[in-house]
Amino acid sequence: MSVYSMTGYASVQQSTSASSAAAPRLGLEIRSVNSRFLDLVFRLPEELRHAEPALREKLASRLKRGKVEVRASLDSAQGSHLKDPPPAALQRLSALEDTVKAWLPSVVPLSVADVLRLAASDQPAPQDLDVHLAQLAQTALDALLDARAREGDKLVTMLRDRLAALRELAARAGPLVPQLVAQQRARFLERWQETLALAGGGVSAEAAQDRALTEATAFAIRIDVAEEITRLSAHLDEVERLLNKGGELGKRLDFLIQEMHREANTLGSKSAALELTRISVDMKVLIEQMREQVQNIE
C-alpha cells in the first residue's frame, strides 16, 4: 500500500458537450496541504453549489487527512464573449425594479453588471451538468492522489535514509559504554591505591579494592544506555514496518518520532564521553528532520 503525502495539486477541465464547441467548459481545481484532520473547503459558483454534498462525500471517501480546497468554474467556451441577455429576462428585471422602487424609492438602480449577472443566472443550466461534474471530480481526485503518492514516495525515501543513519549511530554508541566503564574502573583502582599508600596501612588492600569496584559499578549503572539503545532500535524497526505497510500512518509515525527523541535525549543526559554526546546530538538532528517530514504524511 502506498504512503501518501498530504501535499498535492490537481486541475482538470472538460467541455459540457462533446458535440458543441460553444458549450460551457467545466473546471475543477483541488489543492491539498497538511492538517491534523480532514478539512474540506469548497469554492463553487452558484450553478454548482448544490453539488457540494456529493463532492464532499466523494472526497471524504478517499482522503483521510489534510486541508483540501476545491474550486470549480463554469465558463463559456469563449471567455471574452458575453451573450446578449434575452429580452424576456430584461423585461422581467425591469418590472421587478419598478416594483421595488415603488416600495423603496431610495433604492440604487441596477447596474449593467447586475443585469448581466441576474440575466445569466436566469438561464437554464447545461444539461447533465451534475454528470459532467461527477466525472470531472473523479478525474481530479485520481490526479490528486497520484500527486500525493509521488510526494509520499519521496518522503519515504528520505525517512529510510534517516533510519539507516540512526541505526549506524546506535551501533557506534553501544560499544562505547563498556569501554568507558573499563577506563573508569581502572581510574578508581588507581585512586584507591594512592589513598591506600597515603593512609600508611590504615586501610586494607581488599577494602580499597572493594570500594573501587563499588564505585565503578555505580558509575556503570549511571551511564548505561543499553536500555535506551534497545528501545530506540525497537522504534526504528516499527517505523520501518509502518513504511513497508503504507496506508494511513502519519499519526503513528508522529508518536514514534516523539519516543525516539526521548530516547536520544536520555542517551545524551547519561553521556560520560564527548563521543557519546556527539552521537546524541546527531541523533536528535536526524530525528528532528524526520519529524518535519512526518508532519506531511497522511
Side-chain angles (χ1 to χ4, degrees):
M1 190 180 296
S2 298
V3 173
Y4 291 97
S5 168
M6 284 186 282
T7 303
Y9 175 81
S11 178
V12 292
Q13 290 185 345
Q14 73 176 30
S15 175
T16 55
S17 175
S19 60
S20 175
R25 291 188 63 83
L26 187 61
L28 197 64
E29 181 183 88
I30 307 179
R31 301 173 182 267
S32 174
V33 295
N34 61 320
S35 176
R36 291 184 61 190
F37 308 100
L38 181 60
D39 182 11
L40 300 176
V41 180
F42 293 88
R43 305 279 188 261
L44 305 177
E46 290 296 332
E47 302 90 338
L48 303 175
R49 195 163 299 246
H50 68 278
E52 179 177 330
L55 290 174
R56 184 178 295 274
E57 182 179 357
K58 181 180 289 291
L59 267 65
S61 66
R62 300 185 64 183
L63 302 176
K64 304 304 179 184
R65 293 177 65 199
K67 183 176 181 180
V68 183
E69 181 178 338
V70 181
R71 290 181 178 270
S73 61
L74 184 63
D75 300 319
S76 170
Q78 297 177 341
S80 61
H81 175 70
L82 293 176
K83 294 182 179 180
D84 294 335
L90 293 177
Q91 291 175 359
R92 187 163 182 265
L93 286 174
S94 178
L96 289 173
E97 185 177 26
D98 291 341
T99 301
V100 171
K101 283 185 176 180
W103 288 92
L104 302 171
S106 61
V107 72
V108 178
L110 289 173
S111 66
V112 174
D114 293 334
V115 172
L116 291 175
R117 176 174 54 83
L118 292 172
S121 64
D122 196 44
Q123 298 302 306
Q127 294 182 352
D128 299 329
L129 184 59
D130 290 348
V131 175
H132 290 292
L133 182 60
Q135 294 173 350
L136 200 65
Q138 185 64 47
T139 302
L141 185 55
D142 290 340
L144 177 69
L145 289 174
D146 288 341
R148 287 170 59 141
R150 290 193 299 271
E151 185 68 20
D153 290 340
K154 296 178 183 179
L155 294 178
V156 169
T157 299
M158 188 283 296
L159 291 175
R160 291 190 192 279
D161 290 341
R162 301 303 185 274
L163 287 176
L166 285 170
R167 291 187 189 279
E168 181 180 349
L169 289 173
R172 285 169 47 193
L176 290 177
V177 174
Q179 296 175 12
L180 292 172
V181 172
Q183 294 172 4
Q184 195 65 22
R185 182 184 292 113
R187 293 194 190 100
F188 283 141
L189 287 173
E190 182 179 352
R191 290 174 184 173
W192 279 102
Q193 288 174 356
E194 293 175 356
T195 302
L196 182 62
L198 292 174
V203 179
S204 66
E206 291 183 358
Q209 184 176 10
D210 289 344
R211 183 60 185 271
L213 293 176
T214 300
E215 294 289 344
T217 301
F219 175 78
I221 294 173
R222 189 168 65 252
I223 70 167
D224 184 24
V225 294
E227 185 177 353
E228 284 74 18
I229 293 176
T230 299
R231 284 200 295 262
L232 179 62
S233 298
H235 296 328
L236 295 176
D237 291 341
E238 181 63 12
V239 171
E240 187 80 35
R241 186 189 71 81
L242 289 174
L243 293 178
N244 291 334
K245 178 182 177 182
E248 184 184 355
L249 46 84
K251 292 182 179 180
R252 284 176 287 179
L253 286 178
D254 188 52
F255 171 76
L256 288 171
I257 292 297
Q258 295 179 21
E259 295 301 308
M260 289 163 57
H261 187 274
R262 182 178 303 172
E263 302 305 335
N265 197 53
T266 304
L267 188 147
S269 66
K270 289 185 174 182
S271 174
L274 182 59
E275 179 63 20
L276 202 57
T277 300
R278 288 173 177 168
I279 289 175
S280 173
V281 172
D282 290 343
M283 281 182 172
K284 286 189 281 188
V285 170
L286 291 171
I287 293 171
E288 188 60 33
Q289 292 174 353
M290 293 178 68
R291 185 201 304 275
E292 293 176 359
Q293 300 305 321
V294 163
Q295 299 299 319
N296 292 319
I297 293 179
E298 186 176 52

